[in-house]
Amino acid sequence: MTWEFTSPLTLLGEWRDRTDAAELHELLLLGFTVDLPFLEKTLIPTARALGARITVIGDAGQGLYDPVDVRMAGRSYFHGLAACRGGSFHPKLALFIGAHEAVAAIGSGNPTMAGWGYNDELWTVLRGQETGAPELFRELGTWLTALSGPVLVPQYAAELLEEIAARLAEFQTSQHPARVLHNLGTGLLAQLPAGPVDELHLYAPFVDRNGRALARIIERFAPARLTIGVQERWSSYDGDKILEALADGPDAELRLLAEQRPRHGKLLEWRSDDRWTALTGSANLTGAALLNSTADGGNCELGALAPVASPLMPDGTATELGHLRGRRTVREVEGRPGLLVLGALLRGAGLLQVTLGHPYEVEVVVEVSPDGSPGSWLRIGTIPAGITAQEFAVREFAGAVVRIVDPRTGGRSESPPVFVVHPTRCARRQADENRPASATAIPRRRSSLTRRWAVASATTCSGCPTCSQNTAPLCRTEPPRPRRSRQFMTAMPPTLTNVSRPSGGPSL
């Protein structure tokens, strides 16, 4: 079934408005581009007021924010970055877990204003109870556990993903015709059933510039009829390469999609007899998304394969394929930054662990700033060549900004920023005494990160090198500063609605 759904904010609004006042225990957000100031205005305060531990992970080279505009990262929610060895970290997932239920949205929308508010996106929503959930939740948990193998993430992020996966493993699941698909070890296209099929529909904002993925899709499905949708100006494609891929192929229709708003959804759907099946999620019509596995240098993608009652292909204007001849709107992709830092974690009072995207051939400088403003950066040390993680004795800077700098460039080459994470401040909140008691509330389980931080914070100094150098303000044994009492309740913004948008997708 489908219902009016615009973004994961819809799901958060549903949880907030529940009559049983159920607490939200976990909220996991994964995306390619992540707009932290947007999330801090629209999602973080409400989710924290509901009690959630929040984890936000995006591609290491794609943060859409200036650090001076970020206020809660590391203080109210876990933030980390991910890097694939060859492609991009590209899944879009919003996972909500409560005391006895879970809801997951797998789709095409990044956690940004465009992805959750303006673009036309496609989502598949999964719902399950602890006593009965579709098998897709087990598959999703398996993917979360395996993610930190081919994808580089800081150790604390890997542990968070494993803890969330362990919680999903507690759900009793049953067989379901839908599946969660990913490409960590095998390309997505190779996991789809082979044809022939009666009809095949394709659309995505990015089509391979060389047409290779399109040709392989047609080869696998052998459709009797093909419809490919593009937005003439906003899609990224090479018309001549599309025509080459379709040469000597099936009866084909070019469908020009309306351009009132960008169509960012990704769809591969087919019909056999009277049954429609759709693959939705994060994968564009490219080799990096559909043909290659993450382990072999492709993107990291996540999708949902499900039967649908009717086709999800949007309406448009049927046009002759020759209309594409000579048209080329391919967007050049910016290269990944040369320097990457994935995360920064406080491992006790005053001990900061910094994790790099990969080891470098030269020593890199680590700098920290209270808020990322110009002139506020302080050098705290270096990470030797060949090393991916290093610890530094610093003041307890929860939420401070960390970056690395190549000393050979005089500070002109720097990494995208990350935010210092304080595990106890970001942990799931205790029940708010001002919030009505919930019949579904259960005692809070302390995560391994929180337990280790508490142990490390209790460690006493016994003549460490930091103290012997008479730098007491940086000593790891400095007691944590008192935390200011803060309330995290806010009103949700009005839900965006547009009944013409296929954002609902399947609801399972």
Side-chain angles (χ1 to χ4, degrees), residues 254-311:
L254 172 65
R255 184 173 298 184
L256 297 182
L257 307 178
E259 298 197 346
Q260 284 87 355
R261 63 175 69 223
R263 288 194 177 272
H264 193 253
K266 289 86 168 155
L267 176 68
L268 192 161
E269 67 178 358
W270 63 92
R271 178 178 63 84
S272 295
D273 297 327
D274 59 351
R275 299 185 303 276
W276 282 97
T277 306
L279 173 66
T280 59
S282 63
N284 285 294
L285 300 175
T286 65
L290 289 174
L291 306 184
N292 301 334
S293 70
T294 309
D296 291 333
N299 294 346
C300 176
E301 306 283 1
L302 181 66
L305 180 66
V308 292
S310 58

Side-chain angles (χ1 to χ4, degrees), residues 238-464:
D238 186 318
D240 292 337
K241 295 299 182 181
I242 291 178
L243 293 177
E244 288 180 15
L246 299 180
D248 302 322
D251 178 27
E253 171 193 318
L254 172 65
R255 184 173 298 184
L256 297 182
L257 307 178
E259 298 197 346
Q260 284 87 355
R261 63 175 69 223
R263 288 194 177 272
H264 193 253
K266 289 86 168 155
L267 176 68
L268 192 161
E269 67 178 358
W270 63 92
R271 178 178 63 84
S272 295
D273 297 327
D274 59 351
R275 299 185 303 276
W276 282 97
T277 306
L279 173 66
T280 59
S282 63
N284 285 294
L285 300 175
T286 65
L290 289 174
L291 306 184
N292 301 334
S293 70
T294 309
D296 291 333
N299 294 346
C300 176
E301 306 283 1
L302 181 66
L305 180 66
V308 292
S310 58
L312 301 176
M313 185 75 169
D315 295 331
T317 303
T319 309
E320 291 292 330
L321 283 174
H323 184 76
L324 292 175
R325 187 166 288 110
R327 295 179 179 270
R328 191 175 191 273
T329 62
V330 173
R331 308 170 195 170
E332 298 300 327
V333 179
E334 295 184 7
R336 181 184 294 174
L339 297 177
L340 291 177
V341 56
L342 301 182
L345 176 73
L346 282 171
R347 293 175 56 85
L351 192 63
L352 176 67
Q353 182 185 67
V354 177
T355 303
L356 305 183
H358 55 79
Y360 293 96
E361 296 179 353
V362 297
E363 181 180 72
V364 294
V365 175
V366 179
E367 297 182 342
V368 65
S369 164
D371 55 12
S373 59
S376 65
W377 293 94
L378 172 69
R379 172 174 170 156
I380 61 171
T382 61
I383 299 180
I387 301 298
T388 57
Q390 184 85 352
E391 293 184 343
F392 302 90
V394 297
R395 285 185 179 275
E396 186 192 326
F397 277 139
V401 191
V402 172
R403 70 184 184 189
I404 60 174
V405 176
D406 185 346
R408 300 172 300 177
T409 64
R412 293 187 300 275
S413 178
E414 60 194 41
S415 70
V418 295
F419 301 89
V420 176
V421 171
H422 192 302
T424 56
R425 295 190 182 188
C426 297
R428 184 161 73 86
R429 292 169 61 83
Q430 297 282 8
D432 192 329
E433 61 182 11
N434 296 320
R435 180 180 172 85
S438 168
T440 63
I442 60 175
R444 182 175 70 168
R445 293 180 291 187
R446 297 179 72 189
S447 72
S448 59
L449 284 171
T450 305
R451 292 195 301 270
R452 285 204 305 272
W453 192 92
V455 171
S457 297
T459 303
T460 57
C461 179
S462 58
C464 66

Side-chain angles (χ1 to χ4, degrees), residues 112-166:
T112 65
M113 174 65 80
W116 284 12
Y118 182 67
N119 293 345
D120 191 298
E121 308 282 359
L122 275 171
W123 294 91
T124 298
V125 175
L126 321 175
R127 298 177 184 271
Q129 298 291 323
E130 197 171 39
T131 55
E135 183 72 7
L136 292 87
F137 280 100
R138 183 194 62 79
E139 296 171 342
L140 184 59
T142 300
W143 177 73
L144 291 174
T145 300
L147 194 60
S148 60
V151 177
L152 303 172
V153 295
Q155 181 60 32
Y156 67 85
E159 293 182 16
L160 289 167
L161 295 174
E162 290 173 2
E163 289 180 6
I164 294 170

Side-chain angles (χ1 to χ4, degrees), residues 162-196:
E162 290 173 2
E163 289 180 6
I164 294 170
R167 180 69 184 97
L168 290 179
E170 298 173 1
F171 282 55
Q172 299 178 20
T173 60
S174 58
Q175 292 296 319
H176 195 280
R179 295 175 56 200
V180 169
L181 293 186
H182 62 80
N183 68 329
L184 292 183
T186 304
L188 285 174
L189 184 61
Q191 301 177 56
L192 300 181

